[in-house]
Amino acid sequence: VRKLEREFVHRATNRPTRQWAAVTNDLIDQVKTVHVELEELDENGRIVREVAVTLRLAWIFKPQMELLLRCAGFSRWAIYGGFERRPLVNDEDEMVVEAWR
């Protein structure tokens, strides 16, 4: 389902812009597909430019990441819940990994 994510003024064109997104989750293959559309508007609210992109993102859970790191030969690693190096405790956090051979 396409949903209006946000409205903002585009920095490069200084035009009002709408960002739409549609997300589908494939829990079996652990893939999230995100389709994003940007609509730039003129002073009358008409669409003057559209840009669309589709992203396929893989879900990798912490135990899978640790197994991948071990199998890849890393001797130690740290997994955080964001770039501020918070503990990974919330499933809404980004998983950030530091690894050393």
Side-chain angles (χ1 to χ4, degrees), residues 1-3 5 11-13 18-19 26 29-30 41 55 59 61 63 65 72-74 80-82 86-87 91 93:
V1 174
R2 184 178 174 216
K3 177 181 155 194
E5 293 284 311
R11 284 187 284 161
T13 65
R18 294 187 293 227
Q19 178 179 323
D26 180 341
D29 289 329
Q30 294 179 224
L41 311 173
L55 306 168
W59 277 310
F61 299 100
M65 179 56 72
F74 287 94
Y80 303 106
R86 296 182 315 272
D91 62 5
D93 288 341

Side-chain angles (χ1 to χ4, degrees), residues 10-25:
H10 195 288
R11 284 187 284 161
T13 65
N14 207 33
R15 290 187 183 132
T17 303
R18 294 187 293 227
Q19 178 179 323
W20 299 86
V23 178
T24 57
N25 296 309

Side-chain angles (χ1 to χ4, degrees), residues 8-91:
F8 60 97
V9 175
H10 195 288
R11 284 187 284 161
T13 65
N14 207 33
R15 290 187 183 132
T17 303
R18 294 187 293 227
Q19 178 179 323
W20 299 86
V23 178
T24 57
N25 296 309
D26 180 341
L27 299 178
I28 301 298
D29 289 329
Q30 294 179 224
V31 174
K32 174 183 283 222
T33 302
V34 181
H35 182 74
V36 178
E37 297 174 18
L38 297 177
E39 299 173 338
E40 287 185 33
L41 311 173
D42 67 11
E43 59 278 352
N44 297 315
R46 291 184 302 244
I47 298 171
V48 293
R49 182 172 176 233
E50 292 179 277
V51 176
V53 64
T54 299
L55 306 168
R56 287 180 45 88
L57 307 169
W59 277 310
I60 297 180
F61 299 100
K62 186 178 176 185
Q64 292 170 311
M65 179 56 72
E66 291 172 331
L67 179 60
L68 287 169
L69 291 166
R70 190 172 12 269
C71 289
F74 287 94
S75 60
R76 62 186 184 102
W77 55 84
I79 298 178
Y80 303 106
F83 291 98
E84 302 81 20
R85 295 184 172 184
R86 296 182 315 272
L88 180 61
V89 294
N90 185 336
D91 62 5

